Amino acid sequence: MENLLITGGAGFIGSNFVHHILDRYPDYKVIVYDKLTYAGNLDNLQDVADDRRYSFVRGDICDMGLVEEVVQEHKVDGIVNFAAETHVDRSIVEPGSFIQTDVYGTHVLLEAVRKFSLRRMVHISTDEVYGSVVEGSSVESDNLRPNSPYSASKAGADLMCRAYHVTYGVPVVITRASNNFGAYQYPEKVVPLFITNALDDKPLPLYGDGLNVRDWLYVLDHCEAIDLMLHEGQDGEIYNVGSNNELTNLELTDTILELMGKPQSLIQFVEDRPGHDRRYSLDSAKIRHLGWRPKHAFENALEGTVRWYTENRWWWEKIKSGAYDSYYERQYGTRQVLTGS
Ligand code: NAD
Ligand code: TYD
């Protein structure tokens, strides 16, 4: 691959991946194609803005005409699709845009791969498509039992990728990763929300009993896995990308507070998320057989992440004081506080 179209490249994982590719492959060109929704942010890419190998196009993955134009103009030979509506809480309030972008948009990209015979598309999916896993770990062949409009939309996209591979032979690889954390993550997701709240001594709203379990993967380890899939994944295959690092939300929160030297009294138990999945857990033996494993120890990576938000207030303060707050006030102003300060 020489000319990579990175859709959703102005978001959290996408922008980390753009940095990864430009650092690793001197001969590659990257074209970031992003709608710049509330979650898309060119600040995430400002340090590569002058790189001659980078270009940016503002566009919607649902816009087939523009996608085709960009693919032709930039002689794109591969696509990595990060573009999606991604926040479960928002999907509960407003599912329509999730169905539109995550399912229809993915179909538009698959059409472009088919029409222009691109060499590969990597589609970034999530462990959430398996639904809540009470015991054991999900393998790639498990049934999909998504429970939120977000995960149902992501499952729809995965199935569309599968169908395009089986029906038309489209060369697409799917990755299903666990919860990511790291720099440039929009501060509505739990890790950056809790770090930035704690920095300002604001309460950390923990949903329900705080015992839901997530597997925490450092974003740069995820980028390594996507790189491997781009170059060595098998067409039509799905690869789980997990870190075997399962924590309850309470354990995660305690660790963040401890690293920051902040008191546990900042924890505020609030009303649970409707349909809140209890646990996700991935069996990642398939990608590990290809040589991938997470290189970053969890606590070190979390400490580095805390440091990044501490040192980069310029990045998140304007987000939290803008659209973010009014959205949350409108939608969640009424979330009931159960206990805590
Ligand atoms: P994000 O919300 O930070 O970024 C999404 C990006 O997509 C934004 O830049 C946004 O502007 C762009 N976008 C949204 N709709 C678009 C559209 N219609 N056309 C073009 N661009 C559009 O998300 P993220 O956390 O970086 O997640 C990236 C991908 O990884 C998503 O597909 C998500 O489902 C998947 N994923 C995320 C996690 C996680 O923990 N964050 C875990 C596993 C998988
Ligand atoms: P989130 O970061 O939204 O990711 P996802 O829902 O995709 O896993 O949430 C991670 C976990 O943290 C999830 O179990 C919900 C919980 N959570 C809270 O307890 N409080 C919060 O304010 C948020 C945003 C999430």
Side-chain angles (χ1 to χ4, degrees), residues 43 234 245 267 300 338:
D43 284 349
Q234 286 278 314
N245 185 41
I267 296 176
N300 292 344
L338 302 176

Side-chain angles (χ1 to χ4, degrees), residues 87 128 179 188-190 193 205-207 214 249 273 276:
H87 190 41
E128 303 196 24
N179 283 64
E188 66 184 350
K189 303 284 166 62
V190 76
L193 178 71
L206 204 48
Y207 296 168
R214 300 290 184 267
N249 291 334
R273 169 187 283 172
H276 194 176

Side-chain angles (χ1 to χ4, degrees), residues 8 10-14 33-37 39-40 59-62 82-86 101 124-126 150 154 177-180 185 189 222:
F12 162 48
I13 308 174
Y33 182 95
D34 197 296
K35 186 178 175 181
L36 296 182
T37 66
D60 188 331
I61 57 166
C62 299
F82 296 93
E85 289 292 341
T86 60
T101 287
I124 311 304
S125 185
T126 163
Y150 164 65
K154 293 296 291 184
S178 58
N179 283 64
N180 282 217
Q185 187 168 27
K189 303 284 166 62
H222 188 189

Side-chain angles (χ1 to χ4, degrees), residues 266-281:
L266 285 179
I267 296 176
Q268 187 174 63
F269 285 92
V270 299
E271 200 182 341
D272 209 352
R273 169 187 283 172
H276 194 176
D277 283 335
R278 195 63 170 168
R279 174 174 176 259
Y280 303 128
S281 179

Side-chain angles (χ1 to χ4, degrees), residues 98-159:
F98 287 72
I99 301 164
Q100 182 69 14
T101 287
D102 301 12
V103 186
Y104 184 79
T106 301
H107 138 84
V108 168
L109 300 175
L110 289 162
E111 272 297 316
V113 178
R114 175 161 94 103
K115 183 164 176 180
F116 298 105
S117 304
L118 305 192
R119 287 166 64 191
R120 167 145 299 165
M121 169 162 153
V122 180
H123 175 72
I124 311 304
S125 185
T126 163
D127 58 3
E128 303 196 24
V129 297
Y130 296 114
S132 198
V133 183
V134 180
E135 274 180 9
S137 298
S138 307
V139 293
E140 289 83 352
S141 55
D142 280 358
N143 286 339
L144 304 187
R145 296 174 177 276
N147 292 317
S148 71
Y150 164 65
S151 53
S153 303
K154 293 296 291 184
D158 286 21
L159 295 177

